[in-house]
mmCIF file of all heavy atoms in Angstrom:
data_model
loop_
_atom_site.group_PDB
_atom_site.id
_atom_site.type_symbol
_atom_site.label_atom_id
_atom_site.label_comp_id
_atom_site.label_asym_id
_atom_site.label_seq_id
_atom_site.Cartn_x
_atom_site.Cartn_y
_atom_site.Cartn_z
ATOM 1 N N ARG A 87 -10.747 -6.518 32.432
ATOM 2 C CA ARG A 87 -10.596 -6.246 31.001
ATOM 3 C C ARG A 87 -11.893 -5.744 30.407
ATOM 4 O O ARG A 87 -12.131 -5.889 29.221
ATOM 5 C CB ARG A 87 -10.152 -7.531 30.287
ATOM 6 C CG ARG A 87 -8.724 -7.897 30.567
ATOM 7 C CD ARG A 87 -8.401 -9.314 30.139
ATOM 8 N NE ARG A 87 -9.078 -10.296 30.965
ATOM 9 C CZ ARG A 87 -8.773 -11.592 30.979
ATOM 10 N NH1 ARG A 87 -7.821 -12.058 30.213
ATOM 11 N NH2 ARG A 87 -9.442 -12.421 31.753
ATOM 12 N N GLU A 88 -12.758 -5.185 31.261
ATOM 13 C CA GLU A 88 -14.050 -4.715 30.763
ATOM 14 C C GLU A 88 -14.061 -3.192 30.641
ATOM 15 O O GLU A 88 -13.466 -2.510 31.450
ATOM 16 C CB GLU A 88 -15.173 -5.149 31.709
ATOM 17 C CG GLU A 88 -15.363 -6.651 31.814
ATOM 18 C CD GLU A 88 -15.639 -7.309 30.467
ATOM 19 O OE1 GLU A 88 -16.263 -6.672 29.620
ATOM 20 O OE2 GLU A 88 -15.193 -8.450 30.259
ATOM 21 N N GLY A 91 -17.498 2.158 31.291
ATOM 22 C CA GLY A 91 -18.817 2.760 31.325
ATOM 23 C C GLY A 91 -18.911 3.989 32.189
ATOM 24 O O GLY A 91 -19.963 4.339 32.685
ATOM 25 N N GLN A 99 -17.005 3.079 40.258
ATOM 26 C CA GLN A 99 -16.972 1.678 39.874
ATOM 27 C C GLN A 99 -15.920 0.916 40.669
ATOM 28 O O GLN A 99 -16.104 -0.237 41.015
ATOM 29 C CB GLN A 99 -16.692 1.569 38.380
ATOM 30 C CG GLN A 99 -17.604 0.582 37.718
ATOM 31 C CD GLN A 99 -17.759 0.856 36.248
ATOM 32 O OE1 GLN A 99 -17.011 1.632 35.661
ATOM 33 N NE2 GLN A 99 -18.732 0.240 35.632
ATOM 34 N N LEU A 234 -9.140 -1.860 21.791
ATOM 35 C CA LEU A 234 -10.374 -1.591 21.053
ATOM 36 C C LEU A 234 -11.535 -1.303 21.994
ATOM 37 O O LEU A 234 -12.347 -0.409 21.759
ATOM 38 C CB LEU A 234 -10.744 -2.757 20.140
ATOM 39 C CG LEU A 234 -11.852 -2.361 19.172
ATOM 40 C CD1 LEU A 234 -11.271 -1.981 17.822
ATOM 41 C CD2 LEU A 234 -12.895 -3.424 19.007
ATOM 42 N N GLY A 243 -16.704 2.868 22.379
ATOM 43 C CA GLY A 243 -17.721 2.375 21.454
ATOM 44 C C GLY A 243 -17.783 3.259 20.210
ATOM 45 O O GLY A 243 -17.813 2.772 19.080
ATOM 46 N N HIS A 247 -16.761 2.219 16.379
ATOM 47 C CA HIS A 247 -17.819 2.463 15.405
ATOM 48 C C HIS A 247 -17.314 3.316 14.239
ATOM 49 O O HIS A 247 -17.547 3.003 13.069
ATOM 50 C CB HIS A 247 -18.913 3.186 16.204
ATOM 51 C CG HIS A 247 -20.193 3.402 15.528
ATOM 52 N ND1 HIS A 247 -20.434 4.501 14.763
ATOM 53 C CD2 HIS A 247 -21.316 2.674 15.539
ATOM 54 C CE1 HIS A 247 -21.686 4.444 14.328
ATOM 55 N NE2 HIS A 247 -22.237 3.353 14.780
ATOM 56 N N ARG B 87 -23.759 4.150 21.967
ATOM 57 C CA ARG B 87 -22.984 3.054 21.395
ATOM 58 C C ARG B 87 -21.826 2.674 22.302
ATOM 59 O O ARG B 87 -20.822 2.142 21.858
ATOM 60 C CB ARG B 87 -22.445 3.476 20.028
ATOM 61 C CG ARG B 87 -23.513 3.497 18.970
ATOM 62 C CD ARG B 87 -23.063 4.210 17.716
ATOM 63 N NE ARG B 87 -22.871 5.623 17.942
ATOM 64 C CZ ARG B 87 -22.729 6.533 16.977
ATOM 65 N NH1 ARG B 87 -22.752 6.161 15.712
ATOM 66 N NH2 ARG B 87 -22.555 7.798 17.263
ATOM 67 N N GLU B 88 -21.967 2.985 23.591
ATOM 68 C CA GLU B 88 -20.874 2.696 24.517
ATOM 69 C C GLU B 88 -21.206 1.482 25.380
ATOM 70 O O GLU B 88 -22.356 1.279 25.748
ATOM 71 C CB GLU B 88 -20.620 3.903 25.432
ATOM 72 C CG GLU B 88 -20.134 5.149 24.703
ATOM 73 C CD GLU B 88 -18.866 4.925 23.907
ATOM 74 O OE1 GLU B 88 -18.033 4.098 24.331
ATOM 75 O OE2 GLU B 88 -18.710 5.552 22.849
ATOM 76 N N GLY B 91 -20.800 -1.220 31.157
ATOM 77 C CA GLY B 91 -20.077 -1.300 32.426
ATOM 78 C C GLY B 91 -20.938 -1.677 33.607
ATOM 79 O O GLY B 91 -20.620 -1.344 34.726
ATOM 80 N N GLN B 99 -27.464 3.267 35.323
ATOM 81 C CA GLN B 99 -26.848 4.095 34.311
ATOM 82 C C GLN B 99 -27.896 4.853 33.498
ATOM 83 O O GLN B 99 -27.692 5.977 33.084
ATOM 84 C CB GLN B 99 -25.999 3.224 33.394
ATOM 85 C CG GLN B 99 -24.664 3.852 33.107
ATOM 86 C CD GLN B 99 -23.623 2.825 32.729
ATOM 87 O OE1 GLN B 99 -23.932 1.681 32.427
ATOM 88 N NE2 GLN B 99 -22.379 3.234 32.733
ATOM 89 N N LEU B 234 -18.960 -6.150 19.000
ATOM 90 C CA LEU B 234 -17.697 -6.450 19.671
ATOM 91 C C LEU B 234 -17.612 -5.777 21.038
ATOM 92 O O LEU B 234 -17.141 -6.368 22.009
ATOM 93 C CB LEU B 234 -16.502 -6.006 18.824
ATOM 94 C CG LEU B 234 -15.198 -6.588 19.377
ATOM 95 C CD1 LEU B 234 -14.790 -7.816 18.577
ATOM 96 C CD2 LEU B 234 -14.099 -5.575 19.411
ATOM 97 N N GLY B 243 -15.476 -7.291 27.135
ATOM 98 C CA GLY B 243 -14.026 -7.179 27.120
ATOM 99 C C GLY B 243 -13.385 -8.559 27.137
ATOM 100 O O GLY B 243 -12.469 -8.865 26.370
ATOM 101 N N HIS B 247 -11.225 -10.348 24.171
ATOM 102 C CA HIS B 247 -9.912 -10.802 24.592
ATOM 103 C C HIS B 247 -9.697 -12.270 24.241
ATOM 104 O O HIS B 247 -8.669 -12.657 23.678
ATOM 105 C CB HIS B 247 -9.900 -10.576 26.116
ATOM 106 C CG HIS B 247 -8.627 -10.786 26.809
ATOM 107 N ND1 HIS B 247 -8.237 -11.996 27.288
ATOM 108 C CD2 HIS B 247 -7.667 -9.918 27.132
ATOM 109 C CE1 HIS B 247 -7.076 -11.859 27.906
ATOM 110 N NE2 HIS B 247 -6.710 -10.617 27.829
#
Side-chain angles (χ1 to χ4, degrees):
Chain A
R87 287 166 291 194
E88 296 303 327
Q99 225 156 13
L234 192 98
H247 188 272
Chain B
R87 286 167 293 193
E88 295 303 328
Q99 224 156 14
L234 192 99
H247 188 272

